[in-house]
Amino acid sequence: GAVVSQHPSWVICKSGTSVKIECRSLDFQATTMFWYRQFPKQSLMLMATSNEGSKATYEQGVEKDKFLINHASLTLSTLTVTSAHPEDSSFYICSARASEPYEQYFGPGTRLTVT
Amino acid sequence: GQNIDQPTEMTATEGAIVQINCTYQTSGFNGLFWYQQHAGEAPTFLSYNVLDGLEEKGRFSSFLSRSKGYSYLLLKELQMKDSASYLCAVMDSNYQLIWGAGTKLIIKP
């Protein structure tokens, strides 16, 4: 299957700082990338969808100025959590999808802890 | 509205067979996916059904009935490592995935 990498796999940062998470599709071109957040023992929650070269589409309730998404190429998307607070601590997972077939392949996730 | 229903939790015995059901109501249909998610890890792709019928892949099989809005994931010869959450997701008319809440499968020796 297709491979999606995510970096870093875990990060600890201080409240008020910003953190950037990278998501790369290693062996296919991802026309669409998705960013999810998952709190312990809860379902995946879609944060935003981004198409290469376009602005991301954010889900209701997700602050676009706080969670900056850039999808500059067909293999790379980044999520920047700006001015992070402890309540932003979560497991952030990206997934990537080619134009066809439609399977989404997930990165391994990034565990963010804000102290 | 759009809705995906699957049981919250199931328990089965090592070596046995378990069937995890998923029913859905969505705006359009472009396929149904099953993913496996171990605790603390990201989901991994298991199967994709877009036509009615059964798709078999090793110990795992997935069935779809579009007219009934119904799918199941069948796991045979259960192993302890199959303990995980199993997520059902439907791709709607906008090619967006609508996720179920997941079924936590507990395997007992």
Side-chain angles (χ1 to χ4, degrees), chain A residues 32-37 45-51 55-60 62-64 67-69 77 79 93-95 104, chain B residues 96:
Chain A
T32 307
M33 284 186 167
F34 305 85
W35 287 96
Y36 292 85
R37 181 166 55 180
M45 196 175 73
L46 180 65
M47 299 175 67
T49 302
S50 73
N51 292 298
K55 286 185 179 179
T57 302
Y58 290 82
E59 295 299 301
Q60 196 170 6
V62 178
E63 300 173 57
K64 62 180 181 180
F67 298 98
L68 301 178
I69 292 171
S77 176
L79 167 68
I93 313 170
C94 75
S95 71
Q104 281 188 34
Chain B
Q96 299 298 318

Side-chain angles (χ1 to χ4, degrees), chain B residues 47-82:
Chain B
S47 67
Y48 172 60
N49 293 66
V50 67
L51 299 176
D52 290 350
L54 186 69
E55 296 272 348
E56 296 186 76
K57 195 183 291 186
R59 293 189 299 114
F60 293 6
S61 303
S62 56
F63 171 83
L64 175 68
S65 169
R66 288 172 296 171
S67 62
K68 295 181 179 178
Y70 167 69
S71 172
Y72 67 73
L73 180 69
L74 191 71
L75 292 76
K76 301 177 185 176
E77 301 169 18
L78 286 170
Q79 301 175 9
M80 297 304 292
K81 67 178 182 180
D82 297 329

Side-chain angles (χ1 to χ4, degrees), chain B residues 24 28-33 48-51 64 89-92 97:
Chain B
Y24 63 89
F29 180 83
N30 279 301
L32 185 142
F33 297 80
Y48 172 60
N49 293 66
V50 67
L51 299 176
L64 175 68
V90 173
M91 183 168 283
D92 69 9
L97 277 183

Side-chain angles (χ1 to χ4, degrees), chain A residues 11 13-19 21 36-40 45 47 61-63 65-67 79-93 110-115:
Chain A
V11 58
C13 71
K14 291 187 177 179
S15 187
T17 61
S18 295
V19 173
I21 303 169
Y36 292 85
R37 181 166 55 180
Q38 188 174 37
F39 293 104
M45 196 175 73
M47 299 175 67
V62 178
E63 300 173 57
D65 294 330
K66 179 171 182 63
F67 298 98
L79 167 68
T80 302
V81 183
T82 62
S83 187
H85 288 102
E87 57 265 31
D88 298 324
S89 299
S90 187
F91 190 41
Y92 291 87
I93 313 170
T110 297
R111 196 162 300 283
L112 170 64
T113 302
V114 184
T115 61

